[in-house]
Amino acid sequence: DILAEHYASSHANPEAGFKTIFNGKNLDGWRASENETSFSVQEGNLVVNANPGRCHLFYTAEKEPFVNFEFRGEVLVFPHSNSGIYFHTEFQDSGWPKMGFEAQVCSNQYHDPKKTGSLYGVVNVDHSEIPDDTWFDYNIHVEGKHVVIKINDKVTVDYTEPAGYEAGAPFTRKFDKGTFAIQAHDPDSTVLFRNLRVKRLK
């Protein structure tokens, strides 16, 4: 039974269908906006530090936009640091990305009250259970107008866009399609990312 075999194989390998989007060696397939020196690769990690200033790193290796998907990655936040993972966004030369959503990455000591696991400005988490200097799993699952965010397999956001929702300004925060971006927030913020991968869903 082909279907049974497929079901068994896909469940035996939870990473089936996932594609690595950061190679751990360089920034091939990614494009920085304002201050590209804010991103570097060290010891297999994407090192994010907004020096000299704010920057966003957009995934540009694939022309087909992402609509329904599951994103998985590992993140480490240094004390007093802030970053984010954007989805359904698009490249822009400067400024905070206007399109799509930001899945927040933020130390508890940082002054922004929206902490790791928030869907920024939509569903906000006021405290993260993840201590600084500790690797953790970040999972973003989007289907239709619904997103679930998990931190170490614990749900922090389960949000469905209301019917008739109109995009706001200057940030849309509306489900559509697009790519991913990593945020370098400010010079005092250092965050590491690794093992970034994504699976397209129908």
Side-chain angles (χ1 to χ4, degrees):
D1 188 312
I2 294 176
L3 288 177
E5 289 178 4
H6 173 75
Y7 182 85
S9 64
S10 65
H11 283 259
N13 177 13
E15 291 290 318
F18 280 84
K19 176 180 181 178
T20 296
I21 60 174
F22 166 61
N23 63 23
K25 300 175 182 177
N26 53 47
L27 298 179
D28 287 358
W30 295 80
R31 181 183 176 191
S33 55
E34 296 161 276
N35 299 290
E36 60 184 24
T37 56
S38 296
F39 296 92
S40 62
V41 180
Q42 300 175 30
E43 299 179 350
N45 303 316
L46 175 61
V47 181
V48 181
N49 175 262
N51 191 2
R54 174 192 62 197
C55 185
H56 293 83
L57 186 70
F58 295 82
Y59 180 62
T60 57
E62 300 179 48
K63 291 183 179 180
E64 181 185 355
F66 292 86
V67 182
N68 300 318
F69 64 85
E70 182 174 353
F71 172 98
R72 296 178 180 176
E74 296 175 56
V75 185
L76 185 150
V77 181
F78 284 87
H80 307 285
S81 294
N82 188 355
S83 181
I85 304 164
Y86 284 81
F87 62 91
H88 282 186
T89 193
E90 63 183 28
F91 181 84
Q92 63 183 60
D93 291 323
S94 63
W96 310 105
K98 294 179 174 59
M99 301 298 294
F101 295 92
E102 178 189 358
Q104 172 76 317
V105 175
C106 187
S107 163
N108 281 319
Q109 290 89 354
Y110 193 86
H111 57 76
D112 192 325
K114 303 174 182 68
K115 302 304 181 184
T116 293
S118 298
L119 187 66
Y120 199 94
V122 181
V123 180
N124 299 316
V125 175
D126 62 9
H127 180 79
S128 171
E129 296 182 3
I130 306 299
D132 293 335
D133 302 313
T134 303
W135 285 103
F136 61 91
D137 295 325
Y138 210 122
N139 182 290
I140 306 168
H141 188 284
V142 172
E143 287 193 78
K145 306 296 184 182
H146 180 222
V147 58
V148 174
I149 295 176
K150 295 180 182 179
I151 304 298
N152 283 348
D153 288 329
K154 181 178 180 179
V155 174
T156 60
V157 169
D158 187 336
Y159 168 74
T160 300
E161 184 178 287
Y165 175 81
E166 296 293 335
F171 305 108
T172 67
R173 293 174 180 153
K174 184 175 176 64
F175 291 100
D176 189 6
K177 60 185 177 182
T179 191
F180 302 98
I182 304 296
Q183 179 185 82
H185 192 278
D186 59 76
D188 295 326
S189 293
T190 301
V191 178
L192 307 182
F193 294 84
R194 70 184 183 191
N195 201 18
L196 305 183
R197 61 251 194 241
V198 66
K199 178 179 183 177
R200 293 180 184 271
L201 306 174
K202 294 182 179 179

